[in-house]
Amino acid sequence: MERCSVLGVWLLLLILMVEGSSSSKVTGSGKYNSLRRNLLTNGLGMTPPMGWNSWNHFWCGINENIIKDSADALVSTGLHKLGYTYVNIDDCWAEIARDEKGNLVPKNSTFPSGIKALADYVHSKGLKLGIYSDAGYFTCSGTMPGSLGHEEQDAKTFASWGIDYLKYDNCNEDGTKPTIRYPVMTRALMKAGRPIFFSLCEWGDMHPALWGGKVGNSWRTTSDIYDNWESMVSRADINEVYAEFARPGGWNDPDMLEVGNGGMTKDEYIAHFSIWAISKAPLLLGCDVRNMSEDTMEIVANKEVIAINQDPLGVQAKKVRMKGDLEVWAGPLTGYRVAVLLFNRGPSRSAISAYWDDIGIPANSLVQARDVWEHKTLNREFVGNLTATVDSHACKMYILKPIS
């Protein structure tokens, strides 16, 4: 196998490029460089957010009953106890026109009770409500206003409704850079008087991993995901490049989970969920949580995999070795443990080895291995490496713990 080195010189060039192209001053209460001042201090996102988002399954076909029923499902299935607490409304929830005072208006035909009542309902279940807007004049669907030019007004509205999470998209803008437009909403949220998780959905256009930590709690590193293998692995590849920029309070976001939507096999969905977990990506379900299969529940309710994602050390895993279609991903966990993913993206069953010197374990260490999908600790200990045979489009995932 050959060592994989995707960061290094390339990322240095990216940093120089983005800093050079984003050095514009932002005018607000004074002039300052938005890349050099941490605008966001809301204390949120110490671990990646978990929950559900309406877009991947419902697109614009949402209403308040779907949102309520989805909240109910997170509770009735027990997923809320595993950390799935955000219930996020995506695009298409508002009328096309603001009211006479310039306020956003919930769409009367689909959200007749209003967003405040919906937030109260979701909060009564012990959950949190998220909402969607855009750093442009209209959202990506074109069916409702964006927040460009109305940032403070909209942030105050969201706070008054009891919103806990804002996904902020990047369509129909005025031609200015995201590094100019996004910090305006950051400041507005900080002035609104309610902690609101700020998710930058900038699609990775200007490498938001390099500046998003000053502005938001998470930042999309990729374009939209689709429910197929090629889309999933390509988003994983792009997101992994920025691993060193993830940390408690700010996370790389390769887009929402497609597990349960039907476009991939069970093994492919297990790989999808595993990569998102070890990558410390937000775990936002994108299926119809009211009607999940046993296989879907088995995947998304895996406590051991969730624990890797939610580990408080907050270090995103990287690819440490690649050989063609065979990959080893690894990242440290608390308690001197290491999470390891053996990933076979190729067409045939193959053996994959994780070597201690690649994953940060001292060479002669005796290591205990816990298989987090089989939910068992392997009978033997390992020295130097761990090797397993992995099916096509599948993975194996372990927690390794040195014992001597």
Side-chain angles (χ1 to χ4, degrees), residues 116-136:
K116 175 66 167 65
L118 187 54
D120 290 344
Y121 182 86
V122 169
H123 291 157
S124 75
K125 300 291 180 178
L127 304 171
K128 300 173 182 178
L129 187 69
I131 209 161
Y132 168 98
S133 190
D134 190 288

Side-chain angles (χ1 to χ4, degrees), residues 15 29 109 135 179 187 189 212 217 271 277 301 308 371 375:
I15 293 168
S29 57
S109 61
T179 50
R187 293 194 300 275
L189 292 173
N217 298 111
I308 290 172
D371 186 322
H375 302 293

Side-chain angles (χ1 to χ4, degrees), residues 181-242:
R181 287 176 286 112
Y182 277 80
V184 180
M185 180 55 83
T186 306
R187 293 194 300 275
L189 292 173
M190 290 301 296
K191 292 171 64 176
R194 179 180 179 83
I196 297 176
F197 185 102
F198 192 25
S199 171
L200 316 181
C201 187
E202 185 262 11
W203 321 319
D205 283 359
M206 284 193 64
H207 310 289
L210 307 183
W211 51 269
K214 305 286 186 182
V215 180
N217 298 111
S218 67
W219 42 87
R220 275 279 293 280
T221 52
T222 71
S223 58
D224 288 0
I225 193 172
Y226 295 95
D227 187 21
N228 60 70
W229 175 256
E230 291 75 17
S231 178
M232 184 276 286
V233 296
S234 69
R235 272 58 177 181
D237 289 342
I238 295 167
N239 191 69
E240 188 267 345
V241 169
Y242 302 104

Side-chain angles (χ1 to χ4, degrees), residues 51-58 86-91 131-132 165 167 256-257 284-287:
W52 171 84
N53 178 285
S54 61
W55 185 255
N56 283 1
H57 185 83
F58 293 98
Y86 285 107
V87 179
N88 292 347
I89 308 168
D90 211 282
D91 203 350
I131 209 161
Y132 168 98
Y165 184 115
K167 176 182 173 182
M256 297 164 290
L257 292 162
L284 297 175
L285 304 173
C287 63

Side-chain angles (χ1 to χ4, degrees), residues 4-309:
C4 173
S5 177
V6 292
L7 288 168
V9 173
W10 189 74
L11 270 181
L12 178 60
L13 291 173
L14 284 180
I15 293 168
L16 293 173
M17 179 182 71
V18 172
E19 287 188 345
S21 64
S22 307
S23 60
S24 302
K25 302 292 182 179
V26 179
T27 301
S29 57
K31 291 186 177 182
Y32 54 90
N33 188 326
S34 65
L35 296 177
R36 299 184 183 278
R37 178 173 173 180
N38 194 340
L39 300 178
L40 191 72
T41 53
N42 60 16
L44 300 177
M46 291 299 105
T47 58
M50 297 176 61
W52 171 84
N53 178 285
S54 61
W55 185 255
N56 283 1
H57 185 83
F58 293 98
W59 298 76
C60 275
I62 54 171
N63 58 55
E64 63 184 40
N65 290 328
I66 288 174
I67 305 303
K68 286 182 177 180
D69 291 348
S70 298
D72 292 344
L74 290 180
V75 174
S76 64
T77 57
L79 289 174
H80 71 303
K81 293 181 180 178
L82 301 180
Y84 293 98
T85 56
Y86 285 107
V87 179
N88 292 347
I89 308 168
D90 211 282
D91 203 350
C92 311
W93 60 267
E95 299 285 3
I96 188 65
R98 294 172 178 266
D99 68 16
E100 65 279 1
K101 295 182 179 179
N103 295 310
L104 292 167
V105 180
K107 196 171 183 179
N108 186 59
S109 61
T110 51
F111 292 89
S113 303
I115 304 300
K116 175 66 167 65
L118 187 54
D120 290 344
Y121 182 86
V122 169
H123 291 157
S124 75
K125 300 291 180 178
L127 304 171
K128 300 173 182 178
L129 187 69
I131 209 161
Y132 168 98
S133 190
D134 190 288
Y137 296 117
F138 293 94
T139 63
C140 293
S141 70
T143 65
M144 59 172 277
S147 292
L148 185 62
H150 292 267
E151 291 87 355
E152 286 201 14
Q153 185 174 15
D154 291 354
K156 288 177 182 177
T157 296
F158 298 150
S160 71
W161 287 344
I163 294 299
D164 303 292
Y165 184 115
L166 174 62
K167 176 182 173 182
Y168 204 48
D169 223 330
N170 195 32
C171 288
N172 300 304
E173 32 83 9
D174 62 357
T176 58
K177 296 174 183 177
T179 50
I180 300 299
R181 287 176 286 112
Y182 277 80
V184 180
M185 180 55 83
T186 306
R187 293 194 300 275
L189 292 173
M190 290 301 296
K191 292 171 64 176
R194 179 180 179 83
I196 297 176
F197 185 102
F198 192 25
S199 171
L200 316 181
C201 187
E202 185 262 11
W203 321 319
D205 283 359
M206 284 193 64
H207 310 289
L210 307 183
W211 51 269
K214 305 286 186 182
V215 180
N217 298 111
S218 67
W219 42 87
R220 275 279 293 280
T221 52
T222 71
S223 58
D224 288 0
I225 193 172
Y226 295 95
D227 187 21
N228 60 70
W229 175 256
E230 291 75 17
S231 178
M232 184 276 286
V233 296
S234 69
R235 272 58 177 181
D237 289 342
I238 295 167
N239 191 69
E240 188 267 345
V241 169
Y242 302 104
E244 292 182 354
F245 297 96
R247 53 164 178 73
W251 308 102
N252 292 314
D253 177 8
D255 206 3
M256 297 164 290
L257 292 162
E258 291 283 8
V259 181
N261 280 327
M264 289 184 258
T265 67
K266 182 180 180 180
D267 278 351
E268 289 173 340
Y269 279 137
I270 287 174
H272 177 17
F273 194 72
S274 297
I275 294 170
W276 263 236
I278 202 170
S279 298
K280 302 298 188 289
L283 297 182
L284 297 175
L285 304 173
C287 63
D288 185 353
V289 291
R290 306 169 304 170
N291 298 290
M292 288 184 290
S293 68
E294 289 184 8
D295 282 349
T296 298
M297 271 298 296
E298 178 188 339
I299 294 168
V300 303
N302 187 321
K303 295 180 181 180
E304 295 189 67
V305 177
I306 291 170
I308 290 172
N309 179 262

